[in-house]
Every structure is written in structure tokens, then in C-alpha cells.
Amino acid sequence: GSLVRTFTPFYFLVEPMDVLSVRGASVIMNCSAYCETAPKIEWKKDGTFLNLVSDDRRQLLPDGSLLINSVVHSKHNKPDEGYYQCVATVESLGTIISRTAKLTVAGE
């Protein structure tokens, strides 16, 4: 019997865009992926996965977007500024990674 592989659509509906923010503002990095099996959405910042479980300022929204509450930015502490990517995984299919979006925080 020949193995018939059907193509399963799995793609980003929305990818994050570059954002310019100010300190103390809330930012949403948009991301939404489509697949018949709901993809698992994770976020990378500067190439490292964010642990959103224990993060009180960053949270994953139901659609896969990343909400950053009250952007932190000082001369010596810039934890939110950087490059973000949305990573969507469907176990049977694999992983897709969004474009890189830069979060810039305006200086004082």
C-alpha cells in the first residue's frame, strides 16, 4: 500500500511587528497560527524561550499573542527590549517560527 500524505495547513495568520513603546506602557506582540490541531504557542526573546508560567508581567493571550504589562526600562535594566519571535508547534507536523519583531523602548 502506498502511503498517502495529505497536506495539513499550518501557518501564521498574524506575525508580530516591530513595536516602539514607552516605559510603563503595555505592549502586545501579535501572533496567531492556524492548524486543525490547535498549535502550542511559545515565545522567544533574543533567541531564548520565555518562561511565561512564572512571569507576572508577561502573559500568553488566548490567540497566541504576547502581552507585556508595564514595560520596564532603565539605564541599567532593559528586560523587555529586544527581538521577539513567536514559535508555533503541532506535534505531528513540526514547528514554525515567525518573523523577528523588535521591541524598542523610547528613552527618557
Side-chain angles (χ1 to χ4, degrees), residues 35-60:
C35 188
E36 290 164 8
T37 310
K40 176 185 172 202
I41 302 286
E42 295 173 289
W43 280 86
K44 279 184 169 183
K45 177 181 179 285
D46 300 328
T48 304
F49 280 107
L50 290 172
N51 179 4
L52 299 171
V53 176
S54 59
D55 198 318
D56 53 353
R57 285 193 313 105
R58 298 187 187 113
Q59 68 185 88
L60 190 63

Side-chain angles (χ1 to χ4, degrees), residues 76-91:
H76 303 293
N77 187 25
K78 303 176 181 182
D80 295 325
E81 197 166 64
Y83 294 91
Y84 289 81
Q85 284 176 301
C86 177
V87 180
T89 304
V90 175
E91 290 224 338

Side-chain angles (χ1 to χ4, degrees), residues 54-71:
S54 59
D55 198 318
D56 53 353
R57 285 193 313 105
R58 298 187 187 113
Q59 68 185 88
L60 190 63
L61 299 179
D63 70 344
S65 298
L66 178 69
L67 171 65
I68 305 171
N69 281 307
S70 187
V71 166

Side-chain angles (χ1 to χ4, degrees), residues 9 11 20-21 25-26 31 37 42 51 60 65 70 82-83 85 92 95-97 104 107:
Y11 53 87
L20 175 62
S21 179
S26 290
C31 179
T37 310
E42 295 173 289
N51 179 4
L60 190 63
S65 298
S70 187
Y83 294 91
Q85 284 176 301
S92 58
T95 299
I96 54 176
I97 301 178
T104 308

